[in-house]
Amino acid sequence: MDKELTIRYSEYAKANDLTPSDRELAEAAERSAQFAYAPYSHFKVGAAVRLSDGRIVCGNNQENAAYPSGLCAERTALFAASAQYPDADGYDAIAIVGIDAEGHRCEASPCGACRQVMAEYEQRQRRGIRVLCCNADGGARVFGSVRDLLPFGFEF
Ligand code: THU
């Protein structure tokens, strides 16, 4: 039996199309991207996580001469949030944005490993974490749940 999977998401072209709270999160991600340590790829990524109590925790990619030892912005932000606020009542959203080698803002979509990590935090809290993949113009593609980005992900 063949089956089909449909993914729903919303697309907001510009910053002003986002809600004030999402815009604030996207701006935090962009600010954080400036502080990325990316001397090898020259591709800076910023991520901002909104905790359910409204607090925002940011992270950015941290590279290393031993390439696989570096870490993406999304995991840096989520691990920092979980490490600093272990009693927080989960996460509402994560915004991600890239800055290319020319310093231009550009879209960044989470890698597979980050999707796996985000999926486990989502599974733990039993409600969706919204994912905002911000674009070059301040807008974003918004997914209601990490599951939309990682269907049939590993869990046990
Ligand atoms: N990177 C992230 O931080 N997040 C993503 O969603 C994709 C890729 C980083 C890893 C590496 O430091 C650089 O971007 C280029 O791959």
Side-chain angles (χ1 to χ4, degrees):
M1 158 89 75
D2 288 339
K3 300 195 176 182
E4 194 173 293
L5 190 67
T6 304
I7 297 172
R8 290 188 167 277
Y9 61 91
S10 306
E11 201 151 298
Y12 303 95
K14 299 220 165 11
N16 277 343
D17 300 329
L18 297 176
T19 63
S21 147
D22 281 353
R23 206 179 317 141
E24 183 191 26
L25 199 64
E27 285 167 3
E30 187 172 5
R31 267 196 310 278
S32 184
Q34 322 279 344
F35 306 123
Y37 175 61
Y40 304 104
S41 71
H42 303 289
F43 188 76
K44 297 181 171 183
V45 183
V49 179
R50 183 181 290 284
L51 278 64
S52 298
D53 64 7
R55 263 187 299 223
I56 292 176
V57 177
C58 294
N60 39 53
N61 52 329
Q62 297 293 322
E63 299 185 347
N64 191 272
Y67 286 9
S69 302
L71 196 64
C72 292
E74 296 89 323
R75 276 175 287 165
T76 303
L78 269 172
F79 291 159
S82 183
Q84 290 178 73
Y85 304 108
D87 299 327
D89 185 27
Y91 313 105
D92 282 353
I94 179 167
I96 303 140
V97 69
I99 297 180
D100 67 19
E102 281 78 47
H104 299 127
R105 183 186 153 121
C106 58
E107 185 165 336
S109 188
C111 78
C114 288
R115 291 176 195 212
Q116 182 70 32
V117 166
M118 293 192 288
E120 185 154 331
Y121 283 108
E122 180 172 273
Q123 195 198 332
R124 273 171 73 195
Q125 68 180 36
R126 294 171 194 279
R127 64 191 162 79
I129 298 175
R130 296 169 62 249
V131 181
L132 284 70
C133 298
C134 303
N135 66 28
D137 302 314
R141 193 173 282 149
V142 181
F143 298 87
S145 159
V146 178
R147 254 180 310 162
D148 297 328
L149 291 167
L150 190 67
F152 305 110
F154 176 75
E155 47 185 83
F156 74 100

